[in-house]
Every structure is written in C-alpha cells, then in structure tokens.
C-alpha cells in the first residue's frame, strides 16, 4: 500500500468522533446521548470563553440531530445511545461554517441516528 494507506491504518481513532462500534464496545447503549458524551468525551462539553458581546448562548455548546437545526444540549437526553450511528464534535469555526449564525459562535455536537 501507499504511505497514505499505511498512515490511515495506523492512525489512532479520531478524538472528535464517537462511533456506534465504540458506544457498543463500552456497553453504553442503554444510556442517553448526553450521558455517553459526558462519559466518553467530556471535552466535547467544555465551553471556552466567548469572543463577542452576545446573549448568554453565545459561545456555548449546542447540538444538531441528523443535520437539522442547532438546538440545546438538553435535546440529547431524549435520544437513546443504542439508536446512534455517530456522534461528531465540530469546533466553533467548523460549526459556523456548517450552520452560520445559528451556531452562536460555539461548538456543535452532531448526532447522526440510524
């Protein structure tokens, strides 16, 4: 194989993604998505200081389920981990690129259900 293929095969898992296989291997299917994120990637929920003058939501972590509108993290409590295909963290720059102003200058946790 090429050097690129070898690097891809030996690269550690992406710290910004929680896969279905990983959720299954950690026996977390009975928990809700917010509990899984808190247990496996607490860094997803870390809020770094906002760089602008805005409302209280500016710069905070939000969620998007199946690519829909940006919503509160509380929405993740209603989703069972066993129904998840992937959980992905978007940093504030990537979130602004994908969602524009609705990302409110903060990171967004993308949840893809099956």
């Amino acid at each position: 194989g090429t050097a690129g293929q070898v690097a891809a095969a030996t690269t550690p898992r992406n710290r910004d993604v929680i896969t279905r296989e990983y959720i299954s291997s950690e026996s977390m299917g009975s928990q809700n998505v917010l509990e899984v994120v808190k247990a496996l990637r607490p860094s997803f929920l870390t809020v770094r200081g906002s760089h602008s003058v805005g409302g209280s939501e500016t710069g905070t972590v939000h969620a998007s389920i199946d690519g829909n509108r940006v919503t509160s993290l509380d929405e993740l409590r209603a989703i069972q981990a066993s129904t998840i295909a992937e959980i992905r963290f978007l940093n504030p720059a990537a979130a602004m690129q994908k969602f524009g102003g609705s990302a409110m200058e903060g990171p967004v946790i993308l949840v893809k259900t099956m």
Side-chain angles (χ1 to χ4, degrees):
T2 67
Q5 288 170 321
V6 171
T10 60
T11 302
R13 62 185 163 73
N14 184 337
R15 64 183 177 84
D16 289 338
V17 177
I18 303 172
T19 62
R20 172 171 181 69
E21 292 76 23
Y22 192 66
I23 293 168
S24 298
S25 72
E26 296 294 319
S27 302
M28 304 198 97
S30 63
Q31 294 186 333
N32 70 49
V33 172
L34 192 56
E35 291 169 333
V36 167
V37 171
K38 283 179 180 175
L40 300 179
R41 298 288 196 293
S43 62
F44 284 15
L45 303 171
T46 303
V47 177
R48 290 171 182 76
S50 169
H51 300 292
S52 69
V53 179
S56 62
E57 294 287 304
T58 302
T60 61
V61 183
H62 287 83
S64 173
I65 299 155
D66 291 326
N68 293 314
R69 66 179 174 75
V70 174
T71 186
S72 156
L73 284 179
D74 286 337
E75 299 287 323
L76 301 183
R77 294 180 201 277
I79 304 170
Q80 283 298 116
S82 60
T83 66
I84 297 306
E86 180 183 272
I87 301 168
R88 180 177 296 268
F89 178 81
L90 292 183
N91 66 36
M96 287 290 286
Q97 188 172 21
K98 183 169 178 65
F99 295 105
S102 63
M104 295 178 245
E105 299 179 28
V108 173
I109 297 172
L110 296 179
V111 177
K112 192 184 302 178
T113 58
M114 294 189 295

